Amino acid sequence: MDAIRSLLPFVLDYVTHQTVTDVGSTKLSITELVKNHPKRSHYVASHPMSGTEFSGPEAAIPGLFNKKVGIICDMALSSPKALETVTDLYMAMNMRLVFMSSKEHDLHTAYVSHISHLTSFALALTVLDKERNEKNILNLASGGFDSTVRLAASSADMWVPVFDQNRENVVEVMETYIDKMSQFKDLIKAGETDKVRDLIKKANIIQKTLKQNPWNQK
Amino acid sequence: MDAIRSLLPFVLDYVTHQTVTDVGSTKLSITELVKNHPKRSHYVASHPMSGTEFSGPEAAIPGLFNKKVGIICDMALSSPKALETVTDLYMAMNMRLVFMSSKEHDLHTAYVSHISHLTSFALALTVLDKERNEKNILNLASGGFDSTVRLAASSADMWVPVFDQNRENVVEVMETYIDKMSQFKDLIKAGETDKVRDLIKKANIIQKTLKQNPWNQK
């Protein structure tokens, strides 16, 4: 994200008829930067929501983009030709196109992507702290732990600028999340089993919601 | 867990030469309950660390126990014959046997299993809260979100008694976890990118630790 911010204005300076796009995980800090650039209409702000916990060219896997969401931001600011080039590219990879503003993008990704990484990092740090005192605690790690902690392998170089550039939304979702965890903790501590049950049953709804989305069906 | 606590003493009353075991997710509240039972040596406290987010007989899948950890607690309190029966059963399913006290079991599972479920429930509740206001936020859910929220489908009937019976350890790990999340949040809010980077790099170590465990290698 930092590299995009430093390079994009210079790349646009050299554009004649070409289309420029990016695949960065936050959008507002980029689109604000080039909003008055004379070649702004050659640029399409986009974000293919796809990837694993690994980074760099060697992390490529077949079908990485298949059926994944490709977000195009602020489409009115791009020329029809530039938009067509980028949407054709995404559709050729069988992606689902979604259009929204940069502002909406940054809010939504804070909730469905950025926070997932933060909860994984915090889980890893919690267990590693205990591991120092309790030998071999990780020998017991079972399937459930593996999947919730998977994203904790994600690259600091990639994520630090994302959290920083989307600071306001990320802090908001973290505050809500910490409230939910504290609520759980207080109820468990007080032995309020009926209320803990209510919270879990409410949380269960997420899976029904995800399954309703035809794009999530395997 | 509640059913085991109500049934186990009565089951042991009827034992003549048989072996009794259980597969409950907490151990101390059960083993304390039967510690003075005259047939205690016929009972083996065990916990196969295996399962998915689904419950009941219809959730069975082939190879569910293959290479998973089977914990046997307080082995000195079971007769050699009873121990042999249960360990033979677990080894026939290609499980890895680990021996520890009920007290250690409850501490370790709070860190590698119970907290993973709580972080998933809290993540689901956070997103569902926002979803009410922001239409279709979940349409953007990508691979990372799916895996961290997977356990949020887990059954309240199963987990409420686990959290309740392992209350002390679960509350301790939740407090550490909330501290880590708050630390992240404060650093992101303050724009302390170098310190956020340090935390992420520390969290990355978890994957190396998991990979070192030969039982986690695919």
Side-chain angles (χ1 to χ4, degrees), chain B residues 69-116:
Chain B
V69 168
I71 307 177
I72 308 287
C73 293
D74 313 318
M75 64 181 289
L77 302 180
S78 304
S79 74
K81 180 185 159 286
L83 270 178
E84 195 186 352
T85 304
V86 175
T87 54
D88 280 356
L89 174 71
Y90 280 9
M91 289 184 76
M93 295 191 292
N94 198 26
M95 298 192 82
R96 173 198 184 190
L97 292 171
V98 175
F99 299 88
M100 62 181 66
S101 69
S102 291
K103 198 170 173 234
E104 286 173 303
H105 169 277
D106 286 7
L107 174 72
H108 289 193
T109 51
Y111 274 82
V112 295
S113 165
H114 306 172
I115 186 70
S116 298

Short mmCIF file of all heavy atoms in Angstrom, two decimals, chain B residues 69-116:
data_model
loop_
_atom_site.label_atom_id
_atom_site.label_comp_id
_atom_site.label_asym_id
_atom_site.label_seq_id
_atom_site.Cartn_x
_atom_site.Cartn_y
_atom_site.Cartn_z
N VAL B 69 -4.83 -35.66 18.46
CA VAL B 69 -4.35 -35.92 19.82
C VAL B 69 -5.48 -36.51 20.68
O VAL B 69 -6.59 -35.99 20.70
CB VAL B 69 -3.83 -34.61 20.46
CG1 VAL B 69 -3.59 -34.77 21.95
CG2 VAL B 69 -2.57 -34.14 19.75
N GLY B 70 -5.17 -37.60 21.39
CA GLY B 70 -6.09 -38.16 22.37
C GLY B 70 -5.47 -37.96 23.75
O GLY B 70 -4.39 -38.48 24.04
N ILE B 71 -6.12 -37.16 24.60
CA ILE B 71 -5.55 -36.88 25.92
C ILE B 71 -6.15 -37.83 26.96
O ILE B 71 -7.37 -38.02 27.01
CB ILE B 71 -5.84 -35.43 26.35
CG1 ILE B 71 -5.37 -34.45 25.26
CG2 ILE B 71 -5.16 -35.12 27.68
CD1 ILE B 71 -5.68 -33.00 25.57
N ILE B 72 -5.28 -38.43 27.75
CA ILE B 72 -5.71 -39.26 28.88
C ILE B 72 -5.31 -38.51 30.15
O ILE B 72 -4.15 -38.13 30.30
CB ILE B 72 -5.00 -40.63 28.86
CG1 ILE B 72 -5.13 -41.33 27.50
CG2 ILE B 72 -5.50 -41.51 30.00
CD1 ILE B 72 -6.47 -41.89 27.18
N CYS B 73 -6.28 -38.30 31.04
CA CYS B 73 -5.97 -37.52 32.25
C CYS B 73 -5.88 -38.40 33.49
O CYS B 73 -6.64 -39.38 33.63
CB CYS B 73 -7.04 -36.46 32.46
SG CYS B 73 -7.03 -35.19 31.19
N ASP B 74 -5.00 -38.01 34.39
CA ASP B 74 -4.88 -38.66 35.71
C ASP B 74 -4.73 -40.17 35.58
O ASP B 74 -5.46 -40.93 36.23
CB ASP B 74 -6.11 -38.33 36.58
CG ASP B 74 -6.46 -36.84 36.55
OD1 ASP B 74 -5.54 -36.01 36.62
OD2 ASP B 74 -7.67 -36.53 36.43
N MET B 75 -3.80 -40.62 34.76
CA MET B 75 -3.71 -42.06 34.46
C MET B 75 -3.48 -42.91 35.71
O MET B 75 -3.92 -44.06 35.76
CB MET B 75 -2.64 -42.34 33.41
CG MET B 75 -1.23 -41.99 33.80
SD MET B 75 -0.05 -42.34 32.44
CE MET B 75 -0.04 -44.12 32.42
N ALA B 76 -2.83 -42.35 36.74
CA ALA B 76 -2.56 -43.14 37.95
C ALA B 76 -3.84 -43.55 38.67
O ALA B 76 -3.84 -44.50 39.47
CB ALA B 76 -1.65 -42.35 38.89
N LEU B 77 -4.95 -42.87 38.40
CA LEU B 77 -6.21 -43.18 39.09
C LEU B 77 -7.03 -44.26 38.37
O LEU B 77 -8.06 -44.69 38.86
CB LEU B 77 -7.06 -41.92 39.25
CG LEU B 77 -6.40 -40.76 40.02
CD1 LEU B 77 -7.35 -39.57 40.13
CD2 LEU B 77 -5.96 -41.21 41.43
N SER B 78 -6.58 -44.68 37.18
CA SER B 78 -7.28 -45.74 36.43
C SER B 78 -6.51 -47.05 36.56
O SER B 78 -5.28 -47.04 36.68
CB SER B 78 -7.39 -45.36 34.95
OG SER B 78 -8.02 -44.12 34.79
N SER B 79 -7.22 -48.16 36.49
CA SER B 79 -6.54 -49.47 36.55
C SER B 79 -5.79 -49.70 35.24
O SER B 79 -6.18 -49.16 34.20
CB SER B 79 -7.56 -50.58 36.76
OG SER B 79 -8.28 -50.80 35.55
N PRO B 80 -4.71 -50.50 35.27
CA PRO B 80 -3.97 -50.80 34.04
C PRO B 80 -4.88 -51.38 32.96
O PRO B 80 -4.76 -51.02 31.79
CB PRO B 80 -2.93 -51.83 34.49
CG PRO B 80 -2.73 -51.55 35.95
CD PRO B 80 -4.07 -51.09 36.46
N LYS B 81 -5.83 -52.23 33.35
CA LYS B 81 -6.72 -52.84 32.37
C LYS B 81 -7.60 -51.78 31.68
O LYS B 81 -7.76 -51.76 30.45
CB LYS B 81 -7.60 -53.90 33.04
CG LYS B 81 -8.57 -54.60 32.08
CD LYS B 81 -9.50 -55.56 32.83
CE LYS B 81 -10.76 -55.85 32.00
NZ LYS B 81 -11.72 -54.73 31.96
N ALA B 82 -8.17 -50.91 32.49
CA ALA B 82 -9.03 -49.85 31.93
C ALA B 82 -8.22 -48.94 31.00
O ALA B 82 -8.66 -48.60 29.90
CB ALA B 82 -9.66 -49.05 33.06
N LEU B 83 -7.03 -48.58 31.43
CA LEU B 83 -6.15 -47.73 30.61
C LEU B 83 -5.83 -48.39 29.28
O LEU B 83 -5.85 -47.75 28.22
CB LEU B 83 -4.83 -47.47 31.33
CG LEU B 83 -4.75 -46.25 32.24
CD1 LEU B 83 -3.37 -46.21 32.90
CD2 LEU B 83 -4.99 -44.97 31.43
N GLU B 84 -5.54 -49.69 29.34
CA GLU B 84 -5.19 -50.43 28.13
C GLU B 84 -6.36 -50.43 27.13
O GLU B 84 -6.16 -50.25 25.93
CB GLU B 84 -4.78 -51.86 28.49
CG GLU B 84 -4.05 -52.55 27.35
CD GLU B 84 -3.77 -54.03 27.65
OE1 GLU B 84 -4.01 -54.47 28.80
OE2 GLU B 84 -3.35 -54.73 26.71
N THR B 85 -7.55 -50.63 27.65
CA THR B 85 -8.73 -50.66 26.79
C THR B 85 -8.88 -49.34 26.02
O THR B 85 -9.06 -49.31 24.80
CB THR B 85 -10.01 -50.91 27.63
OG1 THR B 85 -9.83 -52.12 28.36
CG2 THR B 85 -11.24 -51.04 26.75
N VAL B 86 -8.77 -48.25 26.74
CA VAL B 86 -8.99 -46.94 26.12
C VAL B 86 -7.83 -46.56 25.19
O VAL B 86 -8.04 -46.08 24.07
CB VAL B 86 -9.23 -45.84 27.19
CG1 VAL B 86 -9.35 -44.46 26.54
CG2 VAL B 86 -10.49 -46.16 27.98
N THR B 87 -6.59 -46.81 25.63
CA THR B 87 -5.45 -46.45 24.77
C THR B 87 -5.43 -47.33 23.51
O THR B 87 -5.10 -46.85 22.42
CB THR B 87 -4.10 -46.53 25.53
OG1 THR B 87 -3.97 -47.82 26.12
CG2 THR B 87 -4.03 -45.46 26.62
N ASP B 88 -5.80 -48.61 23.64
CA ASP B 88 -5.89 -49.47 22.45
C ASP B 88 -6.91 -48.91 21.45
O ASP B 88 -6.67 -48.90 20.24
CB ASP B 88 -6.31 -50.90 22.84
CG ASP B 88 -5.13 -51.71 23.37
OD1 ASP B 88 -3.99 -51.19 23.36
OD2 ASP B 88 -5.34 -52.86 23.81
N LEU B 89 -8.03 -48.48 21.99
CA LEU B 89 -9.08 -47.91 21.14
C LEU B 89 -8.56 -46.68 20.38
O LEU B 89 -8.71 -46.57 19.15
CB LEU B 89 -10.28 -47.51 22.02
CG LEU B 89 -11.43 -46.74 21.35
CD1 LEU B 89 -12.22 -47.65 20.41
CD2 LEU B 89 -12.37 -46.14 22.40
N TYR B 90 -7.90 -45.77 21.10
CA TYR B 90 -7.39 -44.55 20.46
C TYR B 90 -6.28 -44.87 19.45
O TYR B 90 -6.21 -44.26 18.38
CB TYR B 90 -6.88 -43.56 21.53
CG TYR B 90 -8.01 -42.77 22.19
CD1 TYR B 90 -9.34 -43.09 21.96
CD2 TYR B 90 -7.74 -41.70 23.02
CE1 TYR B 90 -10.37 -42.37 22.56
CE2 TYR B 90 -8.76 -40.97 23.62
CZ TYR B 90 -10.07 -41.31 23.39
OH TYR B 90 -11.08 -40.59 23.97
N MET B 91 -5.41 -45.83 19.81
CA MET B 91 -4.31 -46.15 18.89
C MET B 91 -4.83 -46.85 17.63
O MET B 91 -4.26 -46.70 16.54
CB MET B 91 -3.23 -46.95 19.60
CG MET B 91 -2.49 -46.05 20.60
SD MET B 91 -1.12 -46.86 21.43
CE MET B 91 0.11 -46.84 20.13
N ALA B 92 -5.91 -47.61 17.77
CA ALA B 92 -6.51 -48.27 16.61
C ALA B 92 -7.03 -47.22 15.61
O ALA B 92 -7.15 -47.49 14.41
CB ALA B 92 -7.66 -49.19 17.05
N MET B 93 -7.34 -46.02 16.11
CA MET B 93 -7.81 -44.95 15.23
C MET B 93 -6.65 -44.04 14.81
O MET B 93 -6.87 -42.94 14.29
CB MET B 93 -8.89 -44.13 15.93
CG MET B 93 -10.15 -44.95 16.20
SD MET B 93 -11.54 -43.92 16.75
CE MET B 93 -10.96 -43.38 18.36
N ASN B 94 -5.41 -44.50 15.07
CA ASN B 94 -4.20 -43.74 14.68
C ASN B 94 -4.12 -42.38 15.36
O ASN B 94 -3.67 -41.40 14.78
CB ASN B 94 -4.15 -43.58 13.15
CG ASN B 94 -2.75 -43.21 12.67
OD1 ASN B 94 -1.76 -43.53 13.34
ND2 ASN B 94 -2.66 -42.54 11.54
N MET B 95 -4.54 -42.35 16.64
CA MET B 95 -4.41 -41.09 17.39
C MET B 95 -3.07 -41.04 18.10
O MET B 95 -2.43 -42.06 18.36
CB MET B 95 -5.55 -40.96 18.40
CG MET B 95 -6.90 -40.91 17.76
SD MET B 95 -8.20 -40.41 18.93
CE MET B 95 -8.02 -38.63 18.90
N ARG B 96 -2.67 -39.83 18.44
CA ARG B 96 -1.46 -39.62 19.22
C ARG B 96 -1.86 -39.45 20.69
O ARG B 96 -2.64 -38.56 21.04
CB ARG B 96 -0.79 -38.33 18.75
CG ARG B 96 0.38 -37.96 19.60
CD ARG B 96 0.74 -36.49 19.41
NE ARG B 96 1.92 -36.18 20.16
CZ ARG B 96 2.38 -34.97 20.36
NH1 ARG B 96 1.74 -33.94 19.85
NH2 ARG B 96 3.46 -34.76 21.07
N LEU B 97 -1.34 -40.30 21.57
CA LEU B 97 -1.72 -40.24 22.99
C LEU B 97 -0.85 -39.25 23.75
O LEU B 97 0.37 -39.21 23.60
CB LEU B 97 -1.57 -41.63 23.61
CG LEU B 97 -2.58 -42.66 23.10
CD1 LEU B 97 -2.22 -44.05 23.61
CD2 LEU B 97 -3.99 -42.29 23.55
N VAL B 98 -1.50 -38.43 24.57
CA VAL B 98 -0.80 -37.48 25.44
C VAL B 98 -1.38 -37.66 26.84
O VAL B 98 -2.60 -37.78 26.99
CB VAL B 98 -1.01 -36.03 24.94
CG1 VAL B 98 -0.39 -35.04 25.90
CG2 VAL B 98 -0.42 -35.84 23.54
N PHE B 99 -0.50 -37.69 27.86
CA PHE B 99 -0.95 -37.92 29.23
C PHE B 99 -0.69 -36.68 30.08
O PHE B 99 0.38 -36.09 30.01
CB PHE B 99 -0.20 -39.12 29.83
CG PHE B 99 -0.46 -40.40 29.07
CD1 PHE B 99 0.33 -40.74 27.97
CD2 PHE B 99 -1.50 -41.24 29.42
CE1 PHE B 99 0.08 -41.90 27.24
CE2 PHE B 99 -1.75 -42.41 28.70
CZ PHE B 99 -0.96 -42.74 27.61
N MET B 100 -1.67 -36.30 30.87
CA MET B 100 -1.49 -35.14 31.76
C MET B 100 -2.55 -35.17 32.84
O MET B 100 -3.42 -36.04 32.84
CB MET B 100 -1.58 -33.84 30.95
CG MET B 100 -2.91 -33.62 30.28
SD MET B 100 -2.97 -32.08 29.29
CE MET B 100 -1.79 -32.43 28.00
N SER B 101 -2.46 -34.23 33.78
CA SER B 101 -3.49 -34.16 34.83
C SER B 101 -4.73 -33.44 34.29
O SER B 101 -4.64 -32.70 33.30
CB SER B 101 -2.95 -33.42 36.04
OG SER B 101 -2.77 -32.05 35.72
N SER B 102 -5.85 -33.64 34.94
CA SER B 102 -7.08 -32.93 34.57
C SER B 102 -6.88 -31.43 34.63
O SER B 102 -7.40 -30.67 33.80
CB SER B 102 -8.22 -33.28 35.54
OG SER B 102 -8.61 -34.60 35.36
N LYS B 103 -6.10 -31.00 35.62
CA LYS B 103 -5.88 -29.56 35.80
C LYS B 103 -5.10 -28.98 34.62
O LYS B 103 -5.47 -27.94 34.06
CB LYS B 103 -5.12 -29.35 37.11
CG LYS B 103 -5.20 -27.96 37.61
CD LYS B 103 -4.65 -27.80 39.02
CE LYS B 103 -4.64 -26.32 39.34
NZ LYS B 103 -3.36 -25.82 39.78
N GLU B 104 -4.02 -29.67 34.22
CA GLU B 104 -3.24 -29.22 33.06
C GLU B 104 -4.11 -29.23 31.80
O GLU B 104 -4.06 -28.32 30.98
CB GLU B 104 -2.05 -30.16 32.81
CG GLU B 104 -0.92 -30.01 33.79
CD GLU B 104 0.13 -31.11 33.56
OE1 GLU B 104 -0.23 -32.32 33.61
OE2 GLU B 104 1.30 -30.76 33.32
N HIS B 105 -4.88 -30.30 31.66
CA HIS B 105 -5.77 -30.41 30.48
C HIS B 105 -6.65 -29.18 30.33
O HIS B 105 -6.77 -28.59 29.25
CB HIS B 105 -6.64 -31.66 30.60
CG HIS B 105 -7.74 -31.69 29.58
ND1 HIS B 105 -8.95 -31.02 29.78
CD2 HIS B 105 -7.82 -32.24 28.35
CE1 HIS B 105 -9.71 -31.18 28.71
NE2 HIS B 105 -9.05 -31.91 27.82
N ASP B 106 -7.28 -28.79 31.44
CA ASP B 106 -8.24 -27.68 31.36
C ASP B 106 -7.56 -26.36 31.05
O ASP B 106 -8.11 -25.52 30.32
CB ASP B 106 -9.04 -27.58 32.67
CG ASP B 106 -10.07 -28.70 32.77
OD1 ASP B 106 -10.07 -29.61 31.91
OD2 ASP B 106 -10.89 -28.66 33.71
N LEU B 107 -6.33 -26.19 31.54
CA LEU B 107 -5.58 -24.97 31.21
C LEU B 107 -5.22 -24.96 29.72
O LEU B 107 -5.45 -23.98 29.01
CB LEU B 107 -4.31 -24.89 32.06
CG LEU B 107 -3.38 -23.73 31.69
CD1 LEU B 107 -3.97 -22.39 32.12
CD2 LEU B 107 -1.98 -23.90 32.27
N HIS B 108 -4.64 -26.08 29.25
CA HIS B 108 -4.16 -26.13 27.86
C HIS B 108 -5.31 -26.01 26.85
O HIS B 108 -5.18 -25.32 25.86
CB HIS B 108 -3.37 -27.42 27.63
CG HIS B 108 -2.04 -27.42 28.34
ND1 HIS B 108 -1.05 -28.32 28.07
CD2 HIS B 108 -1.54 -26.61 29.30
CE1 HIS B 108 -0.01 -28.06 28.84
NE2 HIS B 108 -0.28 -27.04 29.59
N THR B 109 -6.41 -26.68 27.12
CA THR B 109 -7.52 -26.61 26.15
C THR B 109 -8.14 -25.21 26.13
O THR B 109 -8.64 -24.77 25.10
CB THR B 109 -8.61 -27.67 26.42
OG1 THR B 109 -8.98 -27.60 27.79
CG2 THR B 109 -8.10 -29.07 26.09
N ALA B 110 -8.10 -24.51 27.27
CA ALA B 110 -8.59 -23.12 27.25
C ALA B 110 -7.79 -22.32 26.23
O ALA B 110 -8.35 -21.50 25.49
CB ALA B 110 -8.46 -22.48 28.64
N TYR B 111 -6.47 -22.59 26.15
CA TYR B 111 -5.61 -21.82 25.23
C TYR B 111 -5.67 -22.28 23.78
O TYR B 111 -5.55 -21.47 22.89
CB TYR B 111 -4.16 -21.84 25.73
CG TYR B 111 -3.91 -20.74 26.73
CD1 TYR B 111 -4.26 -20.91 28.06
CD2 TYR B 111 -3.42 -19.52 26.32
CE1 TYR B 111 -4.08 -19.88 28.98
CE2 TYR B 111 -3.24 -18.48 27.22
CZ TYR B 111 -3.58 -18.68 28.55
OH TYR B 111 -3.43 -17.66 29.42
N VAL B 112 -5.82 -23.55 23.54
CA VAL B 112 -5.75 -23.98 22.13
C VAL B 112 -7.11 -24.36 21.55
O VAL B 112 -7.20 -24.61 20.36
CB VAL B 112 -4.75 -25.14 21.90
CG1 VAL B 112 -3.33 -24.69 22.20
CG2 VAL B 112 -5.13 -26.37 22.69
N SER B 113 -8.15 -24.39 22.35
CA SER B 113 -9.44 -24.78 21.78
C SER B 113 -10.55 -23.81 22.20
O SER B 113 -11.22 -23.22 21.36
CB SER B 113 -9.77 -26.21 22.21
OG SER B 113 -11.12 -26.50 21.97
N HIS B 114 -10.74 -23.62 23.50
CA HIS B 114 -11.89 -22.83 23.95
C HIS B 114 -11.81 -21.39 23.45
O HIS B 114 -12.80 -20.84 22.97
CB HIS B 114 -12.01 -22.91 25.48
CG HIS B 114 -12.05 -24.32 25.99
ND1 HIS B 114 -12.00 -24.67 27.32
CD2 HIS B 114 -12.14 -25.50 25.33
CE1 HIS B 114 -12.04 -25.99 27.44
NE2 HIS B 114 -12.11 -26.51 26.25
N ILE B 115 -10.62 -20.78 23.53
CA ILE B 115 -10.50 -19.37 23.10
C ILE B 115 -10.75 -19.22 21.59
O ILE B 115 -11.32 -18.22 21.16
CB ILE B 115 -9.12 -18.78 23.51
CG1 ILE B 115 -9.04 -17.27 23.19
CG2 ILE B 115 -7.96 -19.51 22.82
CD1 ILE B 115 -9.90 -16.39 24.04
N SER B 116 -10.35 -20.22 20.79
CA SER B 116 -10.59 -20.13 19.34
C SER B 116 -12.08 -20.01 19.04
O SER B 116 -12.49 -19.31 18.11
CB SER B 116 -10.08 -21.39 18.62
OG SER B 116 -8.70 -21.52 18.78
#
